[in-house]
Amino acid sequence: MKCWFVFFAFAVSMVVSASPLDRKEEEGERDLLFRDHPSNQLNAVNEPGSSAELLKPLFSDNLLKDVSITRAEDGYYMTGTNLKKPNNGIYVWHSEDLRKWIPLGAVYDAKGERYEAPEIHYIDSQFYIVFVDVLGCIRTAKSITGDASGPYKESDCLIRHQSDPSLFHDEDGKSYLLYGHGFIAPLDESLTSVIGESKFIKPANDGYPRTDFSAQKDWPARDRIGDRGIFIKKIDGKYYGFANEVSGRMKTATDDVYVAESENLLGPYSGRYLAVPHAGQTTIFKDEYGQLYATYAAPEADRYAALRTRPAIVPLEFSKRERLRPVSDVILEDSIVSEQEPRLSSETLRDPSVTLGGDGYYYLVGTQNGYGYLYGDGGITLFRSKDLEKWEDVATIWSWSELGPGDFSRMQLWAPEFKYVKSDDTYYLTFSLCCKGVTYLFKSATGRPEGPYTNVTEGKFVDGIDGYIFEDSNGKLYFLWGGGRLGELNADRSGFVAPPRKLQTIENHHVGYEGNALAKINGKYVLTGAEWHGPLRTNGTYDMMYGVSDTIWGPYTKARMGVPHAGHGTVFKDKSGNWWTTMFGNDITAPFRMHFGLVPIVISNHMQLKPVRQHGEAAGEAEGI
């Protein structure tokens, strides 16, 4: 975990000067530093509740995407891109209760042409369908009979060479055409003609006032809500603009829905945030009881979606920060990791490190107290377990006072790693200080896990963070840190045998930019590391990457996705010979956040690392193998 706010060090220096009487205020201020951090519980996406279930389709006999639902006096009406009969017209379904859906058939004849992403709207007791014809013309069509089954009379061409049209009818009686990824144009009363200039809905220039990311390839995400499917819903007097975008979270084609809000229809809108993961192009509606829903129908390319090309609805709620998000009763990601629950819920824990000790216990340490203990308060707690299920607090094995004199007043304690070294028959502890960017290495003076621990050298051990201790099968001991730097430790463990080297892939790239760890599996060296995927990190995923090599120094294979959401963790083997990775939930769509978890993994014959639901599962059944 890194200081990724430019102003972080300055802000921490102001926070840590607070007196003990101001502790609650201090903690509140520190929370503000991480206000937009993906692991912040106040962000958009809910953690699934204990009784949450994977999202279910409304029906399965038709393949749909770009699902649109509107509510009328006699129930709900649905349409969308019909993948089963793409050239047979625009199909509509009706439901009285959002459960049983009756097909009304093709209500608009396509004449053998394919219509993409039609939407149905109920405006002033009339049904309208908005669509793009085969020539790229956006048209509206109004039901002649006032019935959703039609027939419909179409308008002339409203806009040419555009996509994903939608309609918005405001409380003042004015109607608007929406299209593309953010354009809006006023319509006449009949909704058959554009009567004004098109404008673009976008976040304000100051939509991200609390973050200061460096410019990168995903920087344009600041300038749009999404890249297609603009839809506007007015909720309690405020305008909410929705759009979807294939964001690249989880290092794949995740098709997510983003939202921004405004007091005015034409903006400026707030900075966008992730509202409904994997939903694809969406529409928003309320049921008869006022419950808010988003339509959901992910494309086939989104391999982690709960459903693909099947219509579904996701109930929404507002967070304490008044951000829209799915309720906690539904799971929107179909992955092995999405099923995981914390193994230790009594303690916030980041960067968890597990080692199997010489006494048969598993030992655990991690970054505690949310985002790390501030100088002078707390230290490193050691937990242990016999079975990886029940964990108990052993002792505080290190505290700030053990650093001795020095200016640590602006520091936080981050990323401790704990390791039993068989060849030395003792335990080692390494940890980092933020934002000084240094790492220390301590050794148990007694050979017992509870210590006491002594520094192997005077002061810091290395510059850089995220230290990790690796014992090879030949008894050699190595120290890995700082995004892939590796050095063999000398006999008394106070330094290196030779200058450390940078581990890289065959492409001269890193395997994770932080949180690296090493394991030797089936004679191969497996290097893991944490990497962010997706736009601006705030809406991305913190994933565990890995590479494989025949030698410890590499080069390693191209970095590949190992375990989504696992990020900075350690891979270890249990007493039965099974492999695991730790995780803690550092991103906005992780199944839990800032708590210690474990994910069972397997290594295929081709050295592919993948999560599994339970050990004993054949390698070919593992996710993606």
Side-chain angles (χ1 to χ4, degrees), residues 46-49 51-54 315 326-331:
N46 249 340
E47 297 179 11
S51 60
E53 295 182 354
L54 194 67
V327 300
S328 62
D329 293 336
V330 294
I331 299 174

Side-chain angles (χ1 to χ4, degrees), residues 178-460:
L178 306 168
Y179 59 92
H181 64 293
F183 292 96
I184 184 170
L187 294 172
D188 64 4
E189 291 184 359
S190 67
L191 280 69
T192 59
S193 178
V194 173
I195 58 174
E197 180 183 358
S198 293
K199 296 186 178 181
F200 187 69
I201 299 294
K202 63 177 291 185
N205 291 332
D206 61 350
Y208 300 84
R210 294 174 299 277
T211 61
D212 193 12
F213 299 96
S214 59
Q216 49 188 305
K217 63 181 180 181
D218 54 16
W219 193 253
R222 286 177 175 262
D223 296 324
R224 61 177 182 254
I225 301 174
D227 63 7
R228 50 191 156 166
I230 183 70
F231 183 90
I232 290 179
K233 179 71 174 177
K234 195 171 186 179
I235 307 169
D236 297 331
K238 186 178 289 188
Y239 298 90
Y240 290 82
F242 300 83
N244 64 303
E245 184 168 323
V246 177
S247 68
R249 287 188 311 108
M250 308 175 74
K251 200 174 172 59
T252 190
T254 50
D255 199 340
D256 300 317
V257 172
Y258 296 85
V259 64
E261 59 195 60
S262 176
E263 299 290 341
N264 302 297
L265 175 61
L266 300 180
Y269 281 71
S270 66
R272 78 176 193 178
Y273 60 87
L274 180 60
V276 193
H278 306 286
Q281 189 164 315
T282 195
T283 58
I284 310 296
F285 68 97
K286 283 186 177 181
D287 69 9
E288 58 185 310
Y289 306 106
Q291 173 63 57
L292 201 64
Y293 289 90
T295 58
Y296 182 110
E300 282 293 345
D302 191 340
R303 61 184 291 249
Y304 287 109
L307 299 167
R308 289 180 288 279
T309 63
R310 295 292 191 279
I313 54 175
V314 179
L316 304 177
E317 67 176 20
F318 282 94
S319 72
K320 291 181 179 179
R321 196 186 293 172
E322 298 185 350
R323 288 186 170 186
L324 274 170
R325 62 184 185 181
V327 300
S328 62
D329 293 336
V330 294
I331 299 174
L332 303 183
E333 177 187 311
D334 187 11
S335 75
I336 290 167
V337 178
S338 70
E339 305 167 2
Q340 304 300 315
E341 296 182 355
R343 300 291 177 109
L344 183 66
S345 58
S346 61
E347 180 86 25
T348 57
L349 208 68
R350 303 167 67 89
D351 317 311
S353 167
V354 169
T355 189
L356 176 57
D359 55 3
Y361 278 98
Y362 299 97
Y363 289 96
L364 163 71
V365 296
T367 304
Q368 296 174 249
N369 195 34
Y371 299 95
Y373 276 119
L374 294 168
Y375 170 70
D377 188 15
I380 299 172
T381 303
L382 182 66
F383 302 89
R384 73 177 182 179
S385 171
K386 274 287 189 182
D387 56 7
L388 297 177
E389 293 289 344
K390 297 180 180 179
W391 294 83
E392 61 179 348
D393 183 333
V394 176
T396 298
I397 58 173
W398 187 91
S399 60
W400 278 102
S401 60
E402 296 182 49
L403 279 182
D407 181 14
F408 303 108
S409 60
R410 300 183 181 184
M411 300 298 104
Q412 279 186 289
L413 179 59
W414 273 9
E417 292 278 352
F418 193 69
K419 180 70 71 172
Y420 172 69
V421 175
K422 186 176 180 180
S423 56
D424 292 358
D425 192 24
T426 193
Y427 295 83
Y428 287 84
L429 173 68
T430 180
F431 57 88
S432 303
L433 300 186
C434 172
C435 283
K436 196 172 185 178
V438 295
T439 296
Y440 287 77
L441 179 60
F442 279 65
K443 177 181 179 180
S444 174
T446 62
R448 296 192 302 268
E450 61 270 23
Y453 285 80
T454 58
N455 198 343
V456 300
T457 187
E458 291 292 330
K460 67 184 179 184

Side-chain angles (χ1 to χ4, degrees), residues 2 44 67 89 109 113 229 287 484 531:
K2 285 190 176 180
V67 172
D109 186 4
E113 299 172 352
D287 69 9
E531 194 72 72

Side-chain angles (χ1 to χ4, degrees), residues 79-80 82 88-92 105-110 115 118 129-131:
T79 189
N82 192 332
N88 288 15
I90 298 174
Y91 282 69
V92 171
V107 303
Y108 190 85
D109 186 4
Y115 291 164
I129 293 176
V130 60
F131 63 94

